[in-house]
Amino acid sequence: MRRKIVAGNWKMNGSRDLAKSLVGSVRSGISDLDNGAEVVIIPPALYVRDVVELAGASVSVGVQNVGQWLSGAYTGEISAGMARDMGCEFALVGHSERRQLFGETDESVAAKVEHLLSSGLTAVVCVGETLAERESGKAESVVAAQVRSGLAKVGHDRWQQVVVAYEPVWAIGTGKTATAGDAQAMHGWIRNQLAELGAPAEDVSLLYGGSVKADNAAALFAEPDIDGGLIGGASLKAEDFVSICRAVPASI
Ligand code: PEP
C-alpha cells in the first residue's frame, strides 16, 4: 500500500533547545491528525536521541545521511545500523546538498540504500535536476538515471521500505516551487521508471520537495502521484509544518 508521508528535514539548523521545543510542538499539533499521513522529523544526528525521546508514537525520526559502509575506519560517519539502534526509522539518501557539496554519487546512494534496507530503515531517496538540466531539456533523463542507479540493488521484497523524493534542485530553499502540474508529470515519469525496474510502482510513495509551504502544499498533495512532501525551511516552524501535514488529503 502507498504510504502518505510528510518529512521535515531540519538540515544543520537549530540547537538542542530548539529541537526539543519543536518536536514537542509538532507532536501536540498533530495529535488529532486523521488523514493517515506519517509524520517524520529528520533532525541533525546529534539531536536524534532527544527527538526520539520526545516524539511519541505519532512522529517518526530519521537521519539526514548515513555512511556507505557497514562499519569500520570511517571517521566522522554514522552507519545505518547505528541510526536504527538510536530509534530512527527513516534516512535521507542522495539529498542534492550531499550530491553537490559532499560528492554523493549514484553509486554511493545505491550502497547506502542497500545498508538502510537491510537494517530495517525506510530510505528516502532524493532525486532532482538542476536548473541548467531542466532548461536544456534533460530533466527527465537526469531523474531517470538517478532513480535507476540509486535503486538498482533493491530486492523484490524491500520496496515497501523505499520512498522517492523528487526535489528539483532549483526549487530547494529558493522559494520557487514546481507547479503542481510539472511536479505531477515528473512523479508520473518516476513511477514509470520504477515499474521498469520491476518495483510495485503503484505502491511506492513519491514525495515532492522544494519550497513547499503551508500555502502551496494542498495543491501539490492533491495530485494523484504526489504522496506527501519533504520539507526543509518550513519544517523549522512547528505551525507551518503542522499545516503542511494537515494538507495531505485523506484519500491518497
Ligand atoms: C529540502 O532541503 O529537502 C527542501 C525541500 O528544502 P526547502 O523546503 O527549504 O526548499
Side-chain angles (χ1 to χ4, degrees), residues 131 135 167-179 208-213 216 220:
L131 187 58
E135 286 178 344
E167 300 202 298
V169 178
W170 46 269
I172 296 180
T174 59
K176 292 180 197 157
T177 319
T179 63
Y208 171 79
S211 297
V212 177
K213 307 285 178 210
N216 60 21
L220 288 158

Side-chain angles (χ1 to χ4, degrees), residues 9 11 95 167 171-173 209-211 230-233:
N9 172 17
K11 312 194 187 191
H95 190 281
E167 300 202 298
I172 296 180
S211 297
L230 178 55
I231 319 301

